[in-house]
Amino acid sequence: GSGYPETEKLITICELFNCSIDEILKGKFSENIGGDKKEYESLMNKFSKGIALAVALILIGVTIFMYIVGIPTSENMKDKYAIIGIAVLLLFVVAAVPIFIILGIEQENYRRKNPKIPNMYTDEEIEKFNSKFAKKIAIAVMINILSVIQLVLLYGIEIVSEESTIPIVILLGMTVISVYMYVYYGIQKTKYDIEIYNKISSRTYKDPNDKVGKMSGVIMLIATMIFFICGIVYNLWHIAWIVFPIGGMMCGIVAIIFENSEEIKND
């Protein structure tokens, strides 16, 4: 009771015991540490699937839009088909937005109820998931590359005509799968790091995997904006689709970069 550790040591102690410097100095520790593993997993699994689904819904809307505008028809009907396609896309966006809002509020309410939770996972469980995470991200990147390969082959050896949007629809469909995997497994990775959860709840730390999810969402939103600008303003529907596989691969690159940076930090 006659002295205190140095500031650097205080910070280390706080990190070990998930508490603040103020709590250590004043000797008043919060008892609000709780959380059930089953409840926590249920919430995070629901959040992972829901957010990934919401992102996928928007891309599915884009895919259906490209299919509709690619249907062979007369010149007089093309504009009508484009309007129908845009309406369908907007319906998918409308369906996705409430998912973002509802799941975001549910997660925030859980954090308020359980600002600190105990470590729920063993090292073996974490290592097993990290191995799975690396494999799934690699598969997602491969799907993006294969989607471009099929496009080049179908157009290159003239299996389909240049006017056909079938290869583009296939590419976008594969992009839906890869982006779903990026978002889902990126959020799942956060689930296993309880220390990060507690730091986020204290508002003193920014989770790199949370950044991955947000950056992936921004990337795909920008891709969608570019797609519509090129199509509506410059009538480049036939080539504007390329922004989506590029966006999907950028999401994968972001996930890999942040994963590697976090591993280096931990080492």
Side-chain angles (χ1 to χ4, degrees):
S2 60
Y4 295 97
E6 298 174 356
T7 303
E8 292 182 0
K9 292 181 180 178
L10 279 174
I11 294 174
T12 302
I13 292 172
C14 291
E15 291 176 349
L16 287 173
F17 293 99
N18 291 321
C19 60
S20 67
I21 293 180
D22 187 61
E23 287 175 326
I24 286 183
L25 295 178
K26 293 182 179 180
K28 296 180 180 179
F29 293 88
S30 173
E31 297 296 332
N32 194 14
I33 300 179
D36 177 72
K37 183 176 181 179
K38 185 177 180 180
E39 181 185 7
Y40 173 74
E41 281 207 325
S42 176
L43 172 76
M44 292 303 294
N45 290 340
K46 179 181 178 182
F47 186 78
S48 302
K49 293 176 182 177
I51 297 300
L53 174 63
V55 174
L57 282 174
I58 296 174
L59 293 179
I60 290 172
V62 175
T63 304
I64 295 176
F65 168 81
M66 288 302 301
Y67 174 77
I68 292 175
V69 298
I71 296 175
T73 185
S74 63
E75 289 294 330
N76 294 332
M77 291 296 295
K78 281 187 177 180
D79 290 340
K80 294 182 179 180
Y81 274 35
I83 293 173
I84 294 172
I86 292 174
V88 171
L89 172 57
L90 292 176
L91 285 175
F92 275 88
V93 172
V94 169
V97 169
I99 298 176
F100 286 118
I101 296 173
I102 293 171
L103 292 181
I105 292 174
E106 286 184 359
Q107 190 184 58
E108 184 63 25
N109 288 339
Y110 183 86
R111 287 188 182 278
R112 290 177 180 175
K113 181 181 176 182
N114 303 282
K116 291 184 179 180
I117 59 177
N119 191 3
M120 302 176 181
Y121 300 99
T122 64
D123 292 339
E124 290 76 15
E125 288 177 312
I126 296 173
E127 289 176 6
K128 183 178 179 180
F129 174 80
N130 285 339
S131 176
K132 182 178 181 181
F133 174 82
K135 293 176 182 177
K136 295 299 182 180
I137 293 300
I139 291 173
V141 173
M142 289 175 61
I143 290 174
N144 278 136
I145 296 173
L146 288 173
S147 68
V148 176
I149 292 175
Q150 66 85 25
L151 181 87
V152 173
L153 286 175
L154 292 178
Y155 281 135
I157 60 180
E158 298 181 351
I159 294 178
V160 297
S161 64
E162 292 182 0
E163 292 77 19
S164 175
T165 59
I166 292 177
I168 299 174
V169 171
I170 294 174
L171 178 143
L172 291 174
M174 296 175 74
T175 301
V176 170
I177 297 173
S178 64
V179 171
Y180 180 93
M181 294 174 67
Y182 292 139
V183 177
Y184 175 78
Y185 286 102
I187 298 175
Q188 277 285 297
K189 186 163 178 33
T190 304
K191 180 181 75 174
Y192 287 87
D193 202 327
I194 304 302
E195 182 180 354
I196 288 180
Y197 173 96
N198 291 333
K199 288 181 178 179
I200 292 175
S201 297
S202 66
R203 306 297 180 187
T204 60
Y205 181 81
K206 279 292 182 181
D207 175 21
N209 292 295
D210 184 49
K211 292 180 181 178
V212 171
K214 290 179 179 179
M215 290 182 68
S216 296
V218 170
I219 288 171
M220 297 315 296
L221 179 60
I222 292 174
T224 303
M225 291 173 61
I226 294 174
F227 174 76
F228 277 114
I229 291 173
C230 291
I232 295 173
V233 179
Y234 301 103
N235 197 29
L236 296 174
W237 299 112
H238 63 288
I239 192 64
W241 55 264
I242 199 171
V243 298
F244 292 106
I246 292 175
M249 285 186 281
M250 287 180 65
C251 291
I253 292 170
V254 167
I256 293 170
I257 290 175
F258 276 95
E259 166 67 7
N260 290 337
S261 65
E262 184 65 14
E263 289 180 354
I264 293 172
K265 181 181 177 181
N266 292 335
D267 291 342

